[in-house]
């Protein structure tokens, strides 16, 4: 009996931590479990051939907004060449509407809902050892005859029980290493799936230190922590930051997603001592409009956030990446204009201008109609318009985003921008006008060299 765990990543450099966790947790069935990573840019025939050749009796797909359509198409063809194979899906894109997914995909046997490590192990016991029945496995929805049965969500597990997945680093050459030291989030931001799970859990710090040392010993270029709000527990964050400072190998970079307004003086003092490039920070501001912040159930002290970002910026050793989201409730074109200027003057190394994605299972999905949020039918369910923002204004913001990416985030035009931006009323107006110029001249549809970008500017 062979069970295949299949991941379809957005790019080759990405890796899928979820399927590696599932395999590692079920190491007692190692000889039966095959793991394959593909990309959504690969020819489907290549993937069909590989899965067919694997001889798998059960195929389990990891599903996200970036691959769900691709996975659906694959499965519809796979059942034609593997009619006796059982097909399972898991991940955020199928967990929150499992019954609907199974109704739309009669080819599927079932869905693993929520956290999958224990659920996958139970499925292995069922398929390989003939133990129990599907009725007795919690955390799944499955088809039996014409009926779809949902056994409910499983109790959340101890994060320290998951084995380390990177012992064989050769499999991850030229790939991004993702690492998890906590699961869940203490906050309730309505656009985010992490807000659903209120049980915040941390991996044992002695285990974390040992695993970080493994990355340091092997001189891994970058480790990206996937913790939703890394610094929500001061002692946890301090212990890890102190460890990587004291054991710095001069090469490895660590990426953290944090809430800047939660930073304490002690943490910033520690950061000031770090080698340039040892850590980088991603900070979700999302909006500076107080009404929007309240509506999305976000807790943020903007003055403190600004103070902390400026303080870290003064150290000149840490890359800071600040995020904004367009299309949130009560955020119109003018208030977003202000949010942009507020963040721009903090001088982030990168300013990510994103657009609201109405994710399945999020509170925002339930509230969308009340806010007049219209979004794309197909993933990534991106906002088209709201009660406060027209589609035309969304298009204008898309051009601002494009100009920020090309001119600001590329880091290639900083001195020129520093000189030019003050000639306009404010930074947002500068990028808005630059975007209009691109559109008027027909430049936005053409790929340009760096030199040509200078000439256009």
């Amino acid at each position: 009996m062979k069970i295949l765990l299949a991941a379809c990543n957005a790019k080759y450099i990405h890796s899928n931590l979820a399927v590696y966790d599932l395999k590692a947790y079920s190491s007692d069935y190692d000889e039966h479990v095959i793991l394959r990573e593909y990309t959504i840019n690969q020819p489907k025939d290549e993937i069909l051939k590989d899965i067919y050749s694997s001889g798998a009796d059960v195929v389990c797909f990891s599903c996200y907004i970036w691959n769900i359509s691709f996975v659906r198409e694959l499965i519809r063809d796979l059942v034609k060449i593997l009619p006796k194979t059982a097909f399972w899906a898991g991940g955020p894109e199928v967990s929150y509407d499992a019954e609907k997914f199974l109704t739309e995909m009669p080819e599927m046997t079932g869905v693993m809902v929520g956290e999958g490590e224990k659920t996958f192990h139970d499925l292995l016991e069922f398929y390989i050892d003939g133990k129990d029945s599907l009725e007795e496995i919690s955390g799944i929805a499955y088809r039996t005859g014409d009926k779809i049965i949902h056994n409910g969500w499983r109790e959340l597990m101890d994060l320290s029980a998951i084995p380390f997945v990177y012992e064989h680093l050769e499999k991850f050459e030229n790939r991004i290493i993702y690492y998890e030291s906590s699961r869940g989030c203490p906050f309730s931001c309505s656009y985010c799936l992490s807000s659903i799970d209120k049980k915040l859990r941390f991996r044992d710090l002695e285990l974390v230190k040992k695993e970080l040392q493994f990355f340091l010993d092997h001189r891994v270029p970058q480790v990206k922590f996937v913790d939703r709000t890394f610094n929500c527990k001061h002692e946890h964050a301090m212990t890890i930051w102190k460890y990587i400072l004291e054991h710095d190998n001069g090469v490895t970079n660590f990426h953290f997603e944090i809430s800047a307004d939660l930073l304490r003086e002690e943490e910033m003092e520690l950061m000031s001592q770090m080698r340039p490039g040892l850590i980088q920070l991603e900070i979700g501001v999302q909006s500076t409009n107080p009404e929007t912040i309240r509506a999305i159930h976000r807790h943020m002290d903007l003055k403190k956030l600004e103070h902390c970002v400026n303080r870290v910026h003064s150290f000149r050793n840490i890359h800071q990446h600040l995020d904004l989201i367009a299309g949130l409730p009560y955020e119109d074109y003018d208030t977003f204009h202000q949010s942009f200027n507020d963040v721009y003057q903090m001088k982030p190394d990168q300013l990510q201008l994103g657009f609201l994605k109405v994710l399945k299972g999020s509170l925002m999905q339930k509230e969308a109609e009340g806010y007049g949020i219209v979004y794309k039918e197909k993933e990534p369910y991106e906002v088209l318009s709201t009660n406060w923002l027209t589609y035309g204004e969304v298009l204008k913001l898309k051009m601002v985003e494009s100009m920020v990416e090309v001119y600001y985030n590329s880091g290639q035009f900083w001195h020129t921008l520093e000189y030019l931006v003050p000639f306009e009323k404010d930074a947002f107006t500068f990028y808005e006008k630059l975007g209009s110029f691109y559109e008027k001249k027909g430049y936005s549809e053409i790929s340009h060299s760096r030199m040509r970008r200078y000439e256009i500017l």
Side-chain angles (χ1 to χ4, degrees):
M1 173 71 72
K2 287 185 184 175
I3 286 84
L4 172 65
L5 283 167
C8 296
N9 302 325
K11 295 178 183 173
Y12 173 76
I13 59 162
H14 298 164
S15 55
N16 184 309
L17 181 58
V19 291
Y20 285 96
D21 277 349
L22 264 58
K23 190 175 191 307
Y25 189 78
S26 292
S27 58
D28 49 333
Y29 287 102
D30 218 28
E31 63 191 274
H32 296 279
V33 180
I34 313 159
L35 192 153
R36 293 278 198 277
E37 287 192 276
Y38 310 105
T39 82
I40 58 173
N41 304 306
Q42 247 177 294
K44 289 195 186 74
D45 282 343
E46 257 182 40
I47 301 172
L48 290 176
K49 178 185 173 184
D50 192 65
I51 293 175
Y52 178 82
S53 304
S54 72
D57 304 283
V58 182
V59 178
C60 307
F61 280 97
S62 181
C63 302
Y64 299 87
I65 55 174
W66 61 80
N67 71 10
I68 187 64
S69 288
F70 189 84
V71 167
R72 282 175 184 259
E73 287 174 30
L74 273 178
I75 289 166
R76 285 179 175 138
D77 286 334
L78 281 166
V79 293
K80 295 170 186 172
I81 55 175
L82 296 169
K84 292 180 181 173
T85 301
F87 290 94
W88 285 80
E93 193 53 25
V94 294
S95 285
Y96 298 97
D97 64 349
E99 294 104 319
K100 184 171 180 272
F101 177 74
L102 289 172
T103 303
E104 291 170 354
M105 294 286 294
E107 302 86 355
M108 299 300 299
T109 308
V111 170
M112 289 179 262
V113 296
E115 244 174 25
E117 286 89 357
K118 285 185 177 177
T119 304
F120 181 64
H121 192 273
D122 285 355
L123 282 175
L124 293 180
E125 288 181 338
F126 168 74
Y127 279 111
I128 296 163
D129 299 334
K131 189 179 170 188
D132 300 331
S133 65
L134 291 179
E135 290 169 35
E136 295 167 87
I137 299 176
S138 64
I140 63 168
Y142 63 99
R143 191 187 311 283
T144 174
D146 295 332
K147 284 167 65 182
I148 291 170
I149 311 291
H150 198 308
N151 291 351
W153 290 58
R154 180 183 286 275
E155 271 294 302
L156 299 176
M157 66 182 293
D158 173 8
L159 195 56
S160 301
I162 302 170
F164 185 59
V165 303
Y166 292 112
E167 294 292 353
H168 298 286
L169 262 180
E170 64 278 2
K171 295 177 187 173
F172 300 93
E173 202 173 340
N174 303 318
R175 315 278 291 282
I176 297 171
I177 300 285
Y178 296 101
Y179 183 76
E180 185 177 40
S181 76
S182 68
R183 268 187 198 172
C185 184
F187 305 115
S188 305
C189 306
S190 59
Y191 53 84
C192 179
L193 290 179
S194 296
S195 63
I196 297 166
D197 168 14
K198 281 290 150 219
K199 192 176 177 189
L200 182 58
R201 293 150 288 151
F202 296 88
R203 194 163 175 82
D204 178 75
L205 279 168
E206 290 311 308
L207 259 183
V208 172
K209 287 180 192 174
K210 185 180 160 197
E211 290 159 0
L212 292 180
Q213 193 56 53
F214 177 88
F215 295 136
L216 291 162
D217 290 344
H218 287 81
R219 300 172 78 78
V220 169
Q222 187 183 54
V223 177
K224 287 190 100 164
F225 276 68
V226 295
D227 306 39
R228 299 318 300 160
T229 307
F230 175 76
N231 62 325
C232 62
K233 186 179 177 185
H234 172 68
E235 297 76 14
H236 183 82
M238 271 301 284
T239 303
I240 291 172
W241 281 335
K242 201 176 279 186
Y243 189 87
I244 63 176
L245 171 63
E246 290 168 358
H247 298 80
D248 180 17
N249 62 9
V251 174
T252 305
N253 162 268
F254 295 91
H255 176 103
F256 301 95
E257 212 170 302
I258 69 159
S259 278
D261 56 325
L262 294 182
L263 285 175
R264 299 186 189 181
E265 187 54 40
E266 187 187 4
E267 290 166 329
M268 289 188 283
E269 182 54 39
L270 190 73
M271 286 177 185
S272 71
Q273 303 166 42
M274 291 178 173
R275 160 181 66 84
L278 175 59
I279 71 167
Q280 63 188 54
L281 304 175
E282 185 171 344
I283 299 161
V285 182
Q286 321 314 10
S287 171
T288 64
N289 178 18
E291 208 173 355
T292 298
I293 294 299
R294 278 193 299 274
I296 61 176
H297 311 289
R298 188 166 173 76
H299 300 280
M300 185 174 73
D301 181 337
L302 186 60
K303 278 202 169 83
K304 192 177 175 206
L305 182 144
E306 189 175 348
H307 164 75
C308 293
V309 167
N310 289 337
R311 179 125 160 70
V312 172
H313 184 67
S314 73
F315 305 150
R316 306 209 171 277
N317 61 346
I318 293 168
H319 175 102
Q320 293 186 97
H321 177 140
L322 271 58
D323 296 340
L324 283 171
I325 299 178
L328 293 169
Y330 301 103
E331 188 86 279
D332 61 22
Y333 194 79
D334 291 336
T335 62
F336 189 83
H337 180 142
Q338 186 58 51
S339 290
F340 181 95
N341 287 332
D342 289 340
V343 173
Y344 192 87
Q345 60 85 28
M346 294 182 210
K347 298 185 175 177
D349 296 282
Q350 279 208 298
L351 200 173
Q352 181 73 44
L353 200 170
F355 291 81
L356 175 66
K357 291 167 181 60
V358 183
L359 302 175
K360 288 178 184 177
S362 67
L363 179 59
M364 187 61 74
Q365 188 189 33
K366 299 179 179 72
E367 296 178 337
E369 196 177 339
Y371 289 131
I373 295 172
V374 179
Y375 55 96
K376 289 180 181 174
E377 197 65 32
K378 196 177 169 187
E379 73 289 342
Y381 318 114
E382 195 173 87
V383 67
L384 294 167
S385 64
T386 73
N387 282 343
W388 301 271
L389 204 61
T390 67
Y391 180 58
E393 289 169 332
V394 168
L395 292 178
K396 283 170 76 177
L397 291 177
K398 288 271 182 187
M399 275 311 295
V400 171
E401 176 205 23
S402 176
M403 295 299 97
V404 169
E405 278 300 309
V406 166
Y407 286 101
Y408 187 87
N409 289 343
S410 68
Q412 296 171 348
F413 306 85
W414 278 7
H415 297 297
T416 314
L417 290 173
E418 209 167 298
Y419 173 75
L420 283 178
V421 171
F423 281 96
E424 280 303 336
K425 184 180 74 171
D426 54 39
F428 182 87
T429 305
F430 173 83
Y431 290 101
E432 181 187 48
K433 286 190 175 179
L434 186 56
S436 297
F437 181 74
Y438 259 72
E439 294 235 295
K440 185 179 165 187
K441 295 285 189 180
Y443 295 153
S444 52
E445 308 307 316
I446 304 165
S447 179
H448 301 284
S449 68
R450 181 172 171 182
M451 186 55 73
R452 181 69 185 127
R453 296 282 190 195
Y454 275 112
E455 290 168 354
I456 294 168
L457 189 57

